[in-house]
Amino acid sequence: MTSTFVVDSPARAAGRDTRPVQVSSARDLYFALMDNPAAALEASRAFLAAQIEVARAEPCELPDAVWQLQGWIQGRAESVGIAYREYLAARKNGAPRRYFTNKSHALYFLKGVAPTKLVDGAWLYGTLSRWENPDFHPLIKTYLEELGDGVPDKNHVTLYRRLLAAHGCEHWETLPADHFVQGAIQLALAYNADAFVPEVVGYNLGYEQLPLHLLITSYELNELGIDPYYFTLHVTVDNAGSGHAHKAVQALRHLMAQSGDPAAFFQRVLDGYRLNDLGACTTSVIGAFDLEAELVEIFGAKAAIGKNMHSDYCRVAGRSVNDWLGDPQQIPDFLTKLEESGWIQRGEEVEQSRFWRLIQGERAEMFGVFSSYEQQVLRDWITTPRDASAAARTTRVLSHRARQRTLDSLTQHAQRSGYPERGLIRRRPAGSGGDSELHQLEQRVAAAAGKPEAMAMLAQLMSPSVHHTAIGLMATRMYSQLLDA
């Protein structure tokens, strides 16, 4: 569905000019709301209305009565648990990974869902202003936990940003528009919560259910040597007994009881729940992966920059590299010729390929051209044989947890041996230059006329685009303390 929404341009947003311009994608709305939400309020409301209309055509699995919800959630969680046990049993008996054919497939997934993960929890941001109403506290506390209660190592966005950076997957801004639908919905709910309280409640109820794909994803990421902590953290915090799923039901019961028309409120809750089904999702992103197509896209992006930077003496199949790169349509043929001419040895370790040694090695002429993610895609393509039966074999790698145990063992050995720890990030002492902005925040909060002014001040610094920064994390800690004071 294509709609036109009114949002602010980046140039105007830089000066906080709220005059609207016309754009037509969820991606543009996503970045407008991250950059200058005041300019995009009208657009975000129109977007939400349009998405709700689309969502109404989706089936809804929720029970008809609110009192049935807790039992439904527990039953659903039990079904997911049983399915996961069956998955583990199948893997133990030799079944291949269900989701990820190789490491680059897993990294493709991490990058593909980045627009959603990097606004994790955003749909609840608009509830912060309702702190004086205890019935909103389950939602507010869920948002605070999404923010890690101000602790960097627990803040969900911080964790995901680190995960992307660790594997060279930071460049996700040009993903197809459907990858931004969920993130745009979350941000639109964040800044229009007052008008969409039932939809916020329903979206939250749906998002906080434990899906089977989360458990399988965590298992297979670890198996491929990728830290699964961001995902395993959601397994624990979203539990039906005392976690976010339980808080979601609490909030629904309390806020629905306040409504003048509970039946109408619940119908809007169902609309919000269905919003979770729109746009790209975990399984659709995973299913879209094609190793060779991804490599072709990577080479095509490199060609735009490198098509005039190679010497004429470097030739493949009688043509210069510049000639090959001059037309992106030639990239698949170029890869074929690299293989036919012996530059790439498919089905062998990458070190056997001369082309790989140009990227990694003692005298790699192309060192730094490919990111770690791009290198992983190339590595998996080279080492995957063209023979389908051979390619189906699961490559064993050291899991993330096994590697971590090895690192921990080495660290303990170094400490016992009296060697100083190296390469650790050390916290700057209090009073260093970077603390001045945080100190000013403390002073402003202390000087506030009262708790409402202080809470409003802190809430501004807990927005989806700021909460993972140093000052946003501190504001989260202070807000959490004042909420319970």
Side-chain angles (χ1 to χ4, degrees):
M1 177 176 179
T2 301
S3 303
T4 298
F5 310 109
V6 182
V7 300
D8 189 51
S9 68
R12 290 177 177 173
R16 289 298 181 258
D17 187 334
T18 60
R19 291 175 298 172
V21 294
Q22 299 290 323
V23 297
S24 58
S25 74
R27 183 199 294 112
D28 292 342
L29 180 63
Y30 179 96
F31 287 115
L33 286 168
M34 288 293 282
D35 184 51
N36 189 11
L41 286 179
E42 181 183 345
S44 61
R45 285 191 290 270
F47 174 78
L48 272 180
Q51 296 303 309
I52 287 169
E53 284 300 315
V54 174
R56 283 176 178 157
E58 297 290 331
C60 186
E61 56 187 347
L62 288 180
D64 296 329
V66 175
W67 65 267
Q68 297 174 316
L69 271 175
Q70 193 61 48
W72 174 81
I73 290 173
Q74 291 174 345
R76 188 177 184 276
E78 184 176 353
S79 297
V80 167
I82 292 171
Y84 184 55
R85 287 206 307 270
E86 293 172 349
Y87 164 83
L88 293 177
R91 292 301 309 279
K92 187 175 181 180
N93 290 326
R97 287 186 293 269
R98 182 176 299 182
Y99 286 161
F100 305 126
T101 52
N102 47 47
K103 187 172 183 177
S104 58
H105 192 174
L107 297 182
Y108 172 90
F109 157 72
L110 294 182
K111 187 171 73 166
V113 297
T116 303
K117 304 305 184 185
L118 291 176
V119 294
D120 201 358
W123 67 91
L124 293 171
Y125 171 62
T127 65
L128 293 181
S129 62
R130 305 294 192 99
W131 60 272
E132 291 181 285
N133 185 342
D135 291 335
F136 276 90
H137 282 200
L139 299 179
I140 293 173
K141 288 184 178 292
T142 296
Y143 185 64
L144 294 175
E145 289 173 9
E146 297 282 347
L147 274 53
D149 288 314
V151 178
D153 289 340
K154 293 291 189 291
N155 181 285
H156 293 188
V157 171
T158 297
L159 289 171
Y160 207 80
R161 284 162 60 94
R162 290 177 182 172
L163 187 59
L164 293 177
H167 299 283
C169 298
E170 302 101 318
H171 303 297
W172 48 268
E173 294 86 351
T174 57
L175 287 167
D178 65 326
H179 289 242
F180 291 85
V181 170
Q182 278 297 306
I185 288 172
Q186 292 188 23
L187 291 168
L189 290 172
Y191 293 106
N192 294 279
D194 288 344
F196 290 89
V197 169
E199 288 80 7
V200 169
V201 171
Y203 186 87
N204 181 65
L205 182 63
Y207 202 90
E208 300 297 358
Q209 302 308 310
L210 178 63
L212 176 62
H213 65 69
L214 181 61
L215 295 166
I216 296 176
T217 296
S218 302
Y219 185 90
E220 296 190 1
L221 288 174
N222 174 64
E223 192 175 27
L224 288 164
I226 300 170
D227 186 356
Y229 180 63
Y230 171 87
F231 297 91
T232 57
L233 179 63
H234 283 75
V235 174
T236 57
V237 300
D238 294 346
N239 74 83
S242 59
H244 293 178
H246 176 71
K247 290 184 176 71
V249 175
Q250 281 185 309
L252 171 57
R253 284 176 175 159
H254 297 160
L255 295 173
M256 187 172 165
Q258 292 183 19
S259 171
D261 188 344
F265 186 96
F266 190 62
Q267 287 305 306
R268 291 179 62 183
V269 167
L270 298 181
D271 289 341
Y273 183 92
R274 292 188 186 98
L275 286 175
N276 283 278
D277 296 328
L278 304 185
C281 65
T282 292
T283 52
S284 68
V285 171
I286 292 172
F289 179 72
D290 181 293
L291 180 59
E292 186 151 343
E294 183 69 2
L295 184 64
V296 168
E297 184 172 333
I298 289 169
F299 267 70
K302 300 300 178 188
I305 299 172
K307 60 186 177 182
N308 297 313
M309 295 186 178
H310 294 79
S311 302
D312 285 341
Y313 70 80
C314 184
R315 309 183 78 80
V316 176
R319 297 173 58 185
S320 70
V321 174
N322 286 337
D323 187 14
W324 279 113
L325 299 182
D327 180 5
Q329 300 299 318
Q330 299 180 130
I331 296 300
D333 288 338
F334 179 48
L335 291 171
T336 298
K337 295 303 181 183
L338 284 173
E339 185 179 353
E340 290 177 351
S341 59
W343 281 81
I344 290 176
Q345 303 291 330
R346 291 292 300 276
E348 304 291 339
E349 292 300 318
V350 290
E351 291 76 15
Q352 302 302 314
S353 292
R354 183 180 174 191
F355 185 80
W356 179 264
R357 295 197 298 271
L358 294 175
I359 298 169
Q360 285 288 342
E362 291 183 3
R363 303 194 58 179
E365 289 89 341
M366 294 172 62
F367 181 81
V369 171
F370 292 85
S371 71
S372 56
Y373 166 69
E374 293 164 343
Q375 289 182 38
Q376 187 64 51
V377 172
L378 179 59
R379 174 187 288 274
D380 286 335
W381 182 76
I382 291 175
T383 58
T384 299
R386 287 195 175 277
D387 176 25
S389 60
R393 292 196 299 266
T394 300
T395 303
R396 294 192 62 81
V397 297
L398 197 62
S399 73
H400 172 77
R401 291 192 179 94
R403 288 193 295 111
Q404 196 61 47
R405 285 195 295 270
T406 302
L407 290 172
D408 291 344
S409 177
L410 290 172
T411 300
Q412 292 170 7
H413 175 73
Q415 291 172 342
R416 288 194 300 269
S417 302
Y419 294 108
E421 295 181 51
R422 297 183 182 275
L424 298 179
I425 299 175
R426 300 185 182 278
R427 187 184 299 275
R428 288 181 296 184
S432 62
D435 294 328
S436 60
E437 188 179 18
L438 305 184
H439 182 61
Q440 290 173 11
L441 175 60
E442 288 180 320
Q443 291 180 320
R444 293 201 307 271
V445 171
K451 186 173 179 179
E453 181 180 330
M455 296 294 269
M457 185 189 310
L458 294 170
Q460 288 183 335
L461 297 172
M462 298 165 62
S463 71
S465 59
V466 180
H467 68 72
H468 57 277
T469 65
I471 196 165
L473 291 165
M474 181 173 182
T476 303
R477 294 192 296 271
M478 297 175 73
Y479 182 100
S480 183
Q481 291 171 358
L482 286 175
L483 179 67
D484 296 326

